């Protein structure tokens, strides 16, 4: 499954498939060993680049690594109280050293399987 496109052509009335950020605006997940749930806005920084932005020093960055599989709850754009659980893989963790997001890391995500 393409990490940016979802939907069934039969269900979708648009000519092209929608991007994941057209369907969902944020994700929520927990990390084993940490007491909290974490919620982040989804970002679509390139044609194939779904990610979240995490502040340096966050327990999230200290407890995830590339290749981890996370059970994420995706919040719908159209119906805010609707969520989908989707298994998601951490593709990369890239420090953002300059610009307005200095002091943050981009965590690249890949959609694997919708439950």
């Amino acid at each position: 499954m393409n990490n940016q496109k979802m939907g069934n052509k039969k269900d979708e009335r648009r000519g092209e498939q929608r991007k994941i950020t057209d369907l969902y605006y944020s994700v929520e997940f927990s990390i084993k060993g940490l007491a909290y749930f974490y919620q982040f806005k989804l970002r679509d920084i390139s044609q194939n680049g779904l990610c979240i932005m995490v502040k340096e020093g966050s327990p999230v960055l200290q407890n995830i690594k590339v290749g981890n599989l996370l059970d994420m709850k995706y919040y719908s754009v159209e119906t805010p109280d609707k969520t989908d659980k989707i298994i998601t893989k951490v593709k990369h963790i890239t420090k953002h050293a300059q610009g307005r997001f200095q002091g943050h890391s981009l965590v690249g995500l890949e959609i694997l399987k919708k439950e």
Side-chain angles (χ1 to χ4, degrees):
M1 178 185 297
N2 185 317
N3 70 338
Q4 279 289 291
K5 312 245 175 163
M6 289 194 63
N8 184 333
K9 283 280 191 183
K10 291 180 184 177
D11 297 336
E12 185 63 46
R13 294 176 188 245
R14 295 178 184 209
E16 73 279 349
Q17 287 184 322
R18 297 172 73 183
K19 292 182 187 177
I20 192 78
T21 53
D22 290 343
L23 299 173
Y24 304 104
Y25 69 90
S26 69
V27 293
E28 178 181 282
F29 60 96
S30 64
I31 298 172
K32 188 174 182 175
L34 298 180
Y36 302 104
F37 283 90
Y38 296 90
Q39 188 172 25
F40 295 93
K41 178 181 176 185
L42 284 170
R43 299 185 179 269
D44 188 11
I45 59 165
S46 70
Q47 187 174 5
N48 296 314
L50 177 65
C51 70
I52 57 175
M53 191 162 300
V54 182
K55 188 171 185 166
E56 294 295 325
S58 167
V60 171
L61 287 180
Q62 297 166 11
N63 287 278
I64 64 170
K65 62 183 179 184
V66 173
N68 283 158
L69 299 181
L70 301 170
D71 290 325
M72 291 189 161
K73 186 187 293 186
Y74 283 70
Y75 285 85
S76 172
V77 168
E78 294 176 359
T79 312
D81 60 338
K82 180 184 181 295
T83 61
D84 288 318
K85 277 187 82 175
I86 302 174
I87 298 173
T88 306
K89 183 177 183 178
V90 176
K91 290 297 288 181
H92 68 82
I93 300 172
T94 307
K95 286 188 178 189
H96 216 343
Q98 301 175 14
R100 99 179 196 194
F101 297 113
Q102 183 175 356
H104 291 76
S105 287
L106 296 174
V107 178
L109 305 174
E110 178 184 6
I111 302 280
L112 293 182
K113 185 170 103 176
K114 188 173 179 178
E115 293 182 355

